[in-house]
């Protein structure tokens, strides 16, 4: 049995359990990590949705417990649990994996790397779930191609510069060409004489 077949079986078993009995196993965690790494779903959204939903709720709860006094200011009739429920409802409304799936998984798997308050985390998740575009399921071949591309980029060890490119000196052996820009002078401000 292939990894993807066993993961799919585990996803379906996970989904069949009531939420309080759902525990995210290592293979299911690997599914979330894969989506964080590649930004595409390997399974149908109907199979992934319960996992992403449970992981999001668990992540929010764990983050909140380790970031005391960082809750959003209470609004009349809108409790922390109401806000969580609204996020889950937004997630469940998608027919396919949201276009922001990669970033969503980043926040679910390591929210403290990106936010230092529950309020900001909830707003960040809300923003990620307010998109309407969805993603197609990627095949195993597409995932392998993405992995190969990532490996090639890592092998090249592309340097990152700290300065803006317009001010950066050319790298050794690099040639620089400047292109002229055509400006319509009728739109330019006129000098006063």
């Amino acid at each position: 049995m292939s990894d993807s077949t066993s993961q799919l079986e585990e996803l379906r078993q996970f989904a069949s359990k009531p939420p309080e009995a759902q525990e995210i196993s290592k293979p299911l965690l690997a599914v979330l990590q894969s989506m964080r790494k590649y930004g595409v779903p390997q399974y149908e959204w109907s199979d992934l949705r319960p996992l992403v939903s449970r992981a999001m709720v668990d992540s929010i709860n764990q983050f909140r417990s380790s970031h005391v006094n960082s809750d959003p200011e209470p609004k009349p009739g809108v409790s922390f649990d109401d806000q969580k429920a609204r996020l889950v409802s937004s997630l469940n409304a998608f027919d396919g994996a949201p276009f922001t799936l990669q970033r969503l998984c980043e926040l679910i798997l390591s929210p403290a790397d990106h936010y230092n308050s529950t309020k900001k985390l909830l707003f960040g998740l809300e923003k990620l779930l307010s998109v309407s575009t969805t993603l197609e399921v990627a095949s195993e071949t597409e995932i392998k191609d993405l992995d190969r591309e990532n490996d090639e980029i890592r092998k090249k060890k592309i340097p990152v510069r700290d300065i803006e490119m317009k001010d950066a000196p050319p790298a050794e052996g690099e040639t620089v060409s400047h292109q002229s820009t055509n400006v319509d002078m009728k739109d330019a401000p006129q000098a006063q004489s």
Side-chain angles (χ1 to χ4, degrees):
M1 186 180 314
S2 74
D3 266 356
S4 62
T5 305
S6 64
Q7 282 178 335
L8 182 58
E9 272 184 36
E10 192 150 350
L11 278 167
R12 289 180 175 163
Q13 287 175 0
F14 180 86
S16 69
K17 296 177 183 174
E20 61 277 359
Q22 293 174 332
E23 288 191 37
I24 299 173
S25 64
K26 286 184 180 184
L28 294 179
L29 182 61
V31 171
L32 291 168
Q33 291 167 335
S34 173
M35 291 186 298
R36 174 181 62 184
K37 183 176 181 180
Y38 301 113
V40 292
Q42 262 186 284
Y43 305 101
E44 292 296 329
W45 182 239
S46 57
D47 294 318
L48 290 170
R49 184 184 303 122
L51 171 64
V52 176
S53 180
R54 176 87 251 154
M56 182 175 70
V57 169
D58 289 352
S59 180
I60 292 168
N61 289 336
Q62 289 170 1
F63 184 88
R64 183 183 189 212
S65 69
S66 65
H67 291 78
V68 182
N69 297 327
S70 69
D71 279 358
E73 294 177 20
K75 297 176 187 173
V78 182
S79 69
F80 172 75
D81 289 331
D82 291 336
Q83 291 174 314
K84 258 191 329 191
R86 190 176 64 236
L87 289 171
V88 170
S89 176
S90 294
L91 182 71
N92 290 335
F94 284 97
D95 293 330
F99 180 74
T100 54
L101 180 67
Q102 185 171 30
R103 180 70 174 150
L104 183 61
C105 288
E106 287 174 2
L107 293 186
I108 288 170
L109 292 170
S110 51
D113 290 351
H114 307 282
Y115 293 105
N116 58 12
S117 79
T118 306
K119 176 182 179 179
K120 290 180 181 180
L121 174 61
L122 293 174
F123 286 144
L125 290 168
E126 184 176 19
K127 188 172 183 174
L128 292 172
L129 295 173
S130 54
V131 299
S132 58
T133 308
T134 58
L135 297 169
E136 297 292 322
V137 176
S139 67
E140 285 188 52
T141 304
E142 290 170 316
I143 296 290
K144 287 177 185 174
D145 289 344
L146 287 169
D147 208 24
R148 193 172 17 262
E149 287 173 19
N150 286 344
D151 287 343
E152 288 173 16
I153 290 170
R154 274 189 233 105
K155 286 177 188 173
K156 289 181 182 178
K157 296 181 182 175
I158 299 171
V160 177
R161 294 187 180 164
D162 294 351
I163 52 180
E164 289 184 31
M165 293 306 295
K166 66 179 181 178
D167 299 330
E172 191 174 44
E174 182 181 17
T175 58
V176 178
S177 65
H178 296 280
Q179 295 179 342
S180 64
T181 303
N182 294 326
V183 177
D184 189 352
M185 291 308 290
K186 71 178 179 185
D187 295 331
Q190 301 298 314
Q192 302 274 331
S193 26

